[in-house]
Amino acid sequence: MSHALHNDTLEQQRLLAKYCRDGVEPQLKDVTKGRLHNYRRLVFGVVREALSITYPLTVNLLTAKEWTVLIQEFFESHHCQDPQVWKMPFELIEYAEKNQPVLTKKYPHLIELLNFEWKEVEYYMMPDEAFPKESTTDFWNERWVFNPESEILNLSYPLHVKNARFISITDRGQYFCLIFRQPKTFKVKFLGLSPFFAWLITAIQNGQTNISDLLPTIKLQFGITDVEQLKQNIHPFFNKLCADGMIISSK
Amino acid sequence: MSKYVGIGYRKDFGSAFLESDILDPAFVEVAPENWVDVGGYWKKELSKVANKFPIYTHGLSLSIGSPDPIDWGFLKRIKAFIQEWDVQVYSEHLSYSKCDNAHIYDLLPIPFREDAVKHISQRIKEVQDFLGRKLVIEIVSYYTPVAAEMSEVEFINSILKESDCELLFDINNIYVNAFNHNYDPKQFIEQLDLSSVKYIHMAGHEKVSDDLIIDTHGQAIIDPVYDLFEHAISKLNEPVPVLLERDFNIPEMEELAIEMNRLEGICQKQWSHESCIA
Ligand SMILES: [Fe+2]
């Protein structure tokens, strides 16, 4: 900190900033009567907008009052760290997880929902990854070359298929959802995966291998014996991933 | 094509901005905070924009007037952005937007005080050294002074003098401030050190009560602000780029074109004998 700033000036600046965060009117020197509230209003308007745009499903899940209280408490007690306002909403997730026990109890899928919504923003906006030069033609004997702008989300609630308002603790389970940014359109796609396909993608990716080589493991782990049937199941899935830009194919 | 007048590039313009020539600005301005580390669709759009127009930037989070330390890590990314996009101007606000290690995401008024002048001037010099270029600092609109011990114009002039930075002359902000704090904008301009002016902003605002204007950038520029603009640029020694800012309530491009043409006309009238800027 520069030594030039006197304590009193520093204090005045802090009081104004604190007021913008908590809305409790401070004792500031020589302010024009009736004007200060504009700062709190404008600041909180920016914060509310950034959060509401990022988390529309959460806004829809919570009551209006719950949402407002959540974001007020967040902005007041959390020290927002990101200089880019569109990235700030990410900080709400950890804050809510650590500081909102009542809400997370009432909505057991709240944190996962926030994460899920943030993923869409993150994928839409993230810096471009270098795409591999190679591609896949033969779905059985070649390694599938994946879009690097992708990941498999391992969910406890079916957020990708069911309205969050109708999800309850009874939906708890294991769900897989593929998220990726399409290379041509730059749109973010979510695709529900069966446990088998989630496993398959991960195995190909991690093992740098192809399905033909994975066959013994598939037989062992999934008890699949009918190879022709397996081919018939995987082929349309492969084609869909190629068409959607999740697999880089030469077709 | 405009010689002097640029426009704030908004994502709301969509692809029509590039596909039509309704708007033909001399340059476009972006807030680097909205574009740093961005890939995908918007990066591609920005490259198209940058291929067509010179890029100016208007930062939001430097918080030059903050008691908190400067975020050198973020400034490094701004510097990289400036290099990547061949940015012509890096401007920022004479305000603070971070305090007690928390971003506020809006522009708060700094106490007009001597110690703040020293503090800010020192920081501007450090930023200029780091970036290897002058900072163009904007006079912001404000709704109340806080703990002032000198006048606003003394405060700004002292910083310009001590920091050797350049001035972003926002005519609408001066109009708004003069209205809100009951002073004469022309007299304010008379007292301001205009030799540092390198860039001008023009915008609309919203009068919310008999004695208060909020600087929304959500409406068209009003006639008295055009008049003040004409008066202000007549006081400058040389032409400078002029930006039309429109951040909210974005109208059809034809409407923005009318505003840009009107500004361009005033500039041409004043500066037609001078060379163009962009
Ligand atoms: Fe401005």
Side-chain angles (χ1 to χ4, degrees):
Chain A
M1 192 182 298
S2 138
H3 297 293
L5 215 53
H6 296 164
N7 282 341
D8 184 57
T9 307
L10 171 66
E11 189 56 21
Q12 296 295 308
Q13 292 196 266
R14 284 178 134 162
L15 284 171
L16 175 58
K18 185 173 175 296
Y19 168 60
C20 291
R21 290 173 57 206
D22 66 17
V24 181
E25 194 135 347
Q27 290 297 316
L28 279 164
K29 289 182 183 166
D30 306 324
V31 288
T32 310
K33 202 166 168 274
R35 294 278 178 86
L36 215 50
H37 71 96
N38 289 296
Y39 282 103
R40 163 68 181 172
R41 181 176 61 79
L42 292 167
V43 165
F44 194 67
V46 170
V47 170
R48 181 190 283 276
E49 192 190 329
L51 290 165
S52 304
I53 287 174
T54 307
Y55 298 120
L57 303 179
T58 306
V59 172
N60 195 37
L61 172 70
L62 271 50
T63 65
K65 190 167 176 209
E66 283 168 342
W67 173 249
T68 297
V69 172
L70 168 65
I71 63 176
Q72 276 172 346
E73 291 180 357
F74 162 71
F75 191 57
E76 176 183 342
S77 63
H78 172 74
H79 295 242
C80 288
Q81 291 299 296
D82 210 302
Q84 295 175 271
V85 68
W86 64 270
K87 287 188 185 172
M88 171 273 283
F90 175 64
E91 298 174 33
L92 179 69
I93 305 174
E94 193 184 331
Y95 163 81
E97 197 167 13
K98 288 186 175 156
N99 302 286
Q100 294 286 336
V102 177
L103 273 189
T104 50
K105 186 152 188 269
K106 181 175 174 191
Y107 305 102
H109 55 310
L110 175 65
I111 300 303
E112 199 163 84
L113 180 63
L114 289 168
N115 257 308
F116 186 75
E117 294 198 85
W118 173 254
K119 278 287 169 196
E120 185 169 7
V121 174
E122 184 188 321
Y123 268 80
Y124 186 63
M125 298 293 275
M126 72 182 180
D128 299 340
E129 294 266 351
F131 271 63
K133 297 268 181 289
E134 63 270 35
S135 61
T136 317
T137 313
D138 178 348
F139 84 102
W140 193 257
N141 293 302
E142 282 178 16
R143 180 174 64 83
W144 295 4
V145 180
F146 292 112
N147 176 340
E149 296 171 350
S150 65
E151 77 183 282
I152 294 174
L153 307 177
N154 192 342
L155 304 171
S156 305
Y157 295 92
L159 300 166
H160 55 305
V161 284
K162 195 168 171 181
N163 185 327
R165 291 179 81 157
F166 304 120
I167 290 177
S168 70
I169 195 84
T170 57
D171 290 300
R172 210 181 147 81
Q174 194 176 30
Y175 305 89
F176 299 98
C177 179
L178 183 64
I179 176 172
F180 58 101
R181 184 164 69 187
Q182 294 184 301
K184 286 198 185 87
T185 63
F186 299 111
K187 284 186 180 145
V188 177
K189 281 245 347 160
F190 290 96
L191 187 67
L193 295 176
S194 68
F196 173 70
F197 281 133
W199 175 87
L200 189 69
I201 289 176
T202 312
I204 294 172
Q205 210 152 27
N206 293 350
Q208 295 284 300
T209 185
N210 60 43
I211 301 182
S212 169
D213 288 340
L214 284 169
L215 209 50
T217 321
I218 293 173
K219 285 178 174 170
L220 202 69
Q221 281 201 21
F222 295 89
I224 294 168
T225 48
D226 187 342
V227 175
E228 271 319 301
Q229 183 63 47
L230 185 67
K231 278 189 181 174
Q232 276 177 37
N233 287 342
I234 294 177
H235 199 212
F237 177 67
F238 171 82
N239 283 341
K240 179 166 176 49
L241 293 189
C242 291
D244 283 352
M246 171 60 197
I247 289 175
I248 301 166
S249 88
S250 53
K251 284 199 270 185
Chain B
M1 183 179 172
S2 301
K3 258 170 91 178
Y4 301 106
V5 181
I7 186 122
Y9 176 63
R10 309 291 316 177
K11 289 175 178 169
D12 316 59
F13 290 166
S15 49
F17 175 66
L18 285 159
E19 285 158 12
S20 76
D21 51 10
I22 301 170
L23 295 181
D24 201 7
F27 61 93
V28 300
E29 187 199 82
V30 297
E33 283 77 0
N34 295 339
W35 300 92
V36 164
D37 293 339
V38 171
Y41 177 79
W42 286 114
K43 179 160 188 180
K44 203 168 146 222
E45 285 300 291
L46 185 62
S47 353
K48 289 186 211 159
V49 171
N51 275 335
K52 211 169 160 189
F53 307 106
I55 302 276
Y56 286 27
T57 57
H58 194 42
L60 297 166
S61 65
L62 180 63
S63 198
I64 199 72
S66 175
D68 283 20
I70 287 168
D71 183 347
W72 295 107
F74 189 66
L75 205 60
K76 203 171 159 188
R77 284 150 69 200
I78 296 275
K79 190 176 181 178
F81 183 86
I82 287 173
Q83 282 161 351
E84 181 181 0
W85 299 99
D86 192 20
V87 166
Q88 313 284 304
V89 168
Y90 174 54
S91 63
E92 254 285 356
H93 299 88
L94 187 54
S95 68
Y96 71 111
S97 56
K98 188 184 183 198
C99 194
D100 288 325
N101 190 31
H103 281 278
I104 308 294
Y105 304 113
D106 211 345
L107 308 169
L108 305 187
I110 303 162
F112 302 143
R113 290 179 165 191
E114 190 54 41
D115 59 327
V117 168
K118 295 260 178 304
H119 173 70
I120 293 165
S121 302
Q122 178 57 34
R123 286 157 65 95
I124 292 178
K125 284 193 260 183
E126 288 170 18
V127 169
Q128 295 186 143
D129 284 349
F130 180 80
L131 295 177
R133 64 164 69 205
K134 292 264 183 89
L135 194 59
V136 187
I137 204 86
E138 181 180 44
I139 301 171
V140 295
S141 49
Y142 63 106
Y143 308 118
T144 171
V146 176
E149 291 176 353
M150 58 171 77
S151 71
E152 183 191 354
V153 76
E154 275 177 276
F155 179 71
I156 296 163
N157 282 341
S158 306
I159 288 173
L160 291 172
K161 191 164 168 230
E162 284 204 27
S163 68
D164 193 30
C165 69
E166 294 174 337
L167 184 65
L168 201 180
F169 196 22
D170 188 313
I171 308 295
N172 176 60
N173 289 354
I174 291 170
Y175 180 89
V176 168
N177 291 341
F179 182 88
N180 287 345
H181 310 297
N182 207 16
Y183 60 71
D184 176 4
K186 286 188 179 166
Q187 207 179 331
F188 179 89
I189 290 170
E190 208 61 54
Q191 292 167 345
L192 195 63
D193 172 13
L194 297 180
S195 65
S196 316
V197 173
K198 281 290 162 338
Y199 188 19
I200 288 177
H201 272 183
M202 283 288 283
H205 56 242
E206 189 181 354
K207 192 173 166 193
V208 294
S209 70
D210 285 347
D211 67 347
L212 183 68
I213 291 176
I214 300 287
D215 182 23
T216 53
H217 298 179
Q219 281 79 20
I221 301 167
I222 62 166
D223 286 346
V225 178
Y226 280 110
D227 294 343
L228 190 61
F229 171 69
E230 188 156 9
H231 170 81
I233 67 169
S234 74
K235 305 277 173 191
L236 301 181
N237 294 329
E238 52 176 13
V240 295
V242 176
L243 179 87
L244 172 63
E245 293 185 285
R246 185 69 178 252
D247 298 337
F248 297 102
N249 206 6
I250 313 279
E252 294 297 320
M253 282 194 291
E254 285 79 358
E255 276 183 52
L256 294 174
I258 292 171
E259 289 189 272
M260 287 179 70
N261 288 340
R262 185 161 168 192
L263 289 170
E264 185 71 27
I266 299 169
C267 293
Q268 301 266 358
K269 193 171 119 193
Q270 195 62 44
W271 294 327
S272 53
H273 56 289
E274 313 263 1
S275 58
C276 70
I277 46 88

